[in-house]
Amino acid sequence: MKKKILLPTDFSKNAWNAISYAIELYKNEECDFYILNVFNATGYALESMMIPEPGEKTYDEAKERSEKGLAKILERLSFRDDYPHHKFFMISQFNSLLEGIKDLVDKQDIEMVIMGTKGTTNASDIVYGSNTILIMEKVRNCPVMAIPADASYKQPKEIVFPTDYKTQIKRRELQYLIEIAKISHAAVRFLYISNDDALSEEQKNNQKLLKEYFEDIPHTFHILHNVDVKGGLSSFVESRNSDMITFINRKHSFFGSIFSRPMVKDLGYHSKVPVLALHDIKN
């Protein structure tokens, strides 16, 4: 079955990098890629009552810029004739980024969003692209993968999954991770950062479930003691030259109990690897 992947773009270098990464990651899969640019008219707040209409100068100029930008992307993609099973659909929409993504995820039954972490400003003080954090937090019915500006594509060989084993993970919450590991022939490394010596019975049981889920995929379990989560994860990924970080973004604890907003900022500044946010599935 064809995959449907949404690639938001603001025409920045980082957004193009994310598009290239997605195409390479799924190079052997049949995919429909939806490339979305949202535009709004200068001088209008999206939430204000004064919304420009088609035919008004500001609206038409913004739409034309958006469509020209998408046409350039389509032209660049047309030079890549080595992926005959990929199709590209260009979508220009007057909307906010979040609402545009939500709208398309619903209408097209999108199964993954892949986007860059920084926008056109690319300023280092912009936190992990505040947009990216917003999308990871608010788009809850499909996974979101964020590609850092410096991450050039190389086939993932190792995916790091930080976990505290305290929450039972359902098999279907992991389907996209399992799929990426399979198509990339990647190993999954479960990382537990702990201050305790022993796992509780509940933690052992949850670890056992992960062993079952990943029985067809190379995987190992690792423990780091007495380090802070942020530093421990960063040094683990760097020392092993891992290629991706993934986690389950539980609704009531953003980035799970081991993640926090400052950590996301830190990942944004220092991570050279893509981050895949999976979502918990409501019972």
Side-chain angles (χ1 to χ4, degrees):
M1 210 166 83
K2 248 182 216 182
K3 307 211 146 319
K4 292 185 156 197
I5 294 170
L6 174 56
L7 306 171
T9 181
D10 57 3
F11 310 128
S12 63
K13 190 177 162 199
N14 187 200
W16 172 256
N17 187 42
I19 291 171
S20 302
Y21 191 99
I23 291 170
E24 287 295 329
L25 182 63
Y26 288 102
K27 60 177 175 263
N28 298 318
E29 309 297 306
E30 202 172 339
C31 292
D32 284 349
F33 290 105
Y34 293 81
I35 298 180
L36 168 71
N37 174 253
V38 295
F39 65 92
N40 45 45
T42 318
Y44 288 90
L46 275 171
E47 56 279 359
S48 80
M49 301 301 285
M50 297 284 294
I51 291 173
E53 297 288 330
E56 286 184 34
K57 187 169 178 242
T58 47
Y59 179 99
D60 290 349
E61 283 173 352
K63 184 161 182 65
E64 189 184 354
R65 273 195 304 276
S66 173
E67 287 173 347
K68 276 184 176 165
L70 289 171
K72 277 184 190 162
I73 288 178
L74 192 56
E75 190 182 355
R76 281 179 86 173
L77 292 168
S78 68
F79 295 118
R80 295 171 174 247
D81 51 4
D82 40 354
Y83 305 122
H85 35 278
H86 286 176
K87 282 190 183 159
F88 298 95
F89 300 88
M90 302 290 145
I91 295 157
S92 170
Q93 199 181 92
F94 179 80
N95 216 334
S96 70
L97 181 63
L98 175 61
E99 291 309 317
I101 288 174
K102 279 181 164 179
D103 177 61
L104 232 78
V105 166
D106 267 358
K107 281 185 183 160
Q108 298 296 345
D109 195 21
I110 296 291
E111 51 194 287
M112 187 174 292
V113 177
I114 300 180
M115 64 189 294
T117 56
K118 287 181 179 165
T120 39
T121 55
N122 228 25
S124 60
D125 58 335
I126 290 184
V127 178
Y128 199 51
S130 49
N131 274 334
T132 315
I133 292 179
L134 183 72
I135 304 310
M136 282 181 163
E137 229 178 331
K138 302 290 186 191
V139 175
R140 301 222 49 94
N141 44 358
C142 80
V144 178
M145 187 187 292
I147 313 295
D150 303 333
S152 53
Y153 180 81
K154 62 179 199 267
Q155 185 168 311
K157 291 288 169 212
E158 182 166 287
I159 301 168
V160 177
F161 190 142
T163 175
D164 56 12
Y165 304 122
K166 285 180 180 165
T167 315
Q168 188 179 334
I169 298 172
K170 302 179 186 79
R171 189 190 298 267
R172 63 188 190 282
E173 291 172 339
L174 299 166
Q175 72 181 81
Y176 294 100
L177 169 59
I178 288 169
E179 184 181 85
I180 287 170
K182 281 183 174 170
I183 64 174
S184 308
H185 308 291
V188 177
R189 311 298 179 201
F190 295 98
L191 177 63
Y192 175 43
I193 295 172
S194 160
N195 295 322
D196 305 318
D197 288 338
L199 293 177
S200 68
E201 283 311 306
E202 185 188 15
Q203 285 175 307
K204 282 179 189 167
N205 190 51
N206 289 334
Q207 187 186 56
K208 187 164 157 273
L209 281 174
L210 289 171
K211 280 180 189 166
E212 287 172 21
Y213 300 160
F214 287 85
E215 63 185 357
D216 298 334
I217 290 163
H219 64 275
T220 47
F221 294 91
H222 304 261
I223 298 184
L224 289 180
H225 289 288
N226 303 316
V227 289
D228 71 289
V229 172
K230 186 169 68 177
L233 176 59
S234 293
S235 56
F236 185 84
V237 168
E238 275 176 41
S239 66
R240 298 178 60 89
N241 209 13
S242 309
D243 305 296
M244 191 179 287
I245 297 167
T246 186
F247 62 92
I248 293 193
N249 179 8
R250 302 221 168 263
K251 179 144 195 185
H252 297 298
S253 56
F254 182 51
F255 275 7
S257 57
I258 63 156
F259 276 86
S260 61
R261 276 181 181 271
M263 179 168 180
V264 184
K265 293 179 189 182
D266 200 67
L267 276 176
Y269 293 141
H270 306 300
S271 177
K272 300 283 188 286
V273 302
V275 176
L276 171 64
L278 303 167
H279 294 298
D280 52 349
I281 292 167
K282 297 168 202 67
N283 290 320

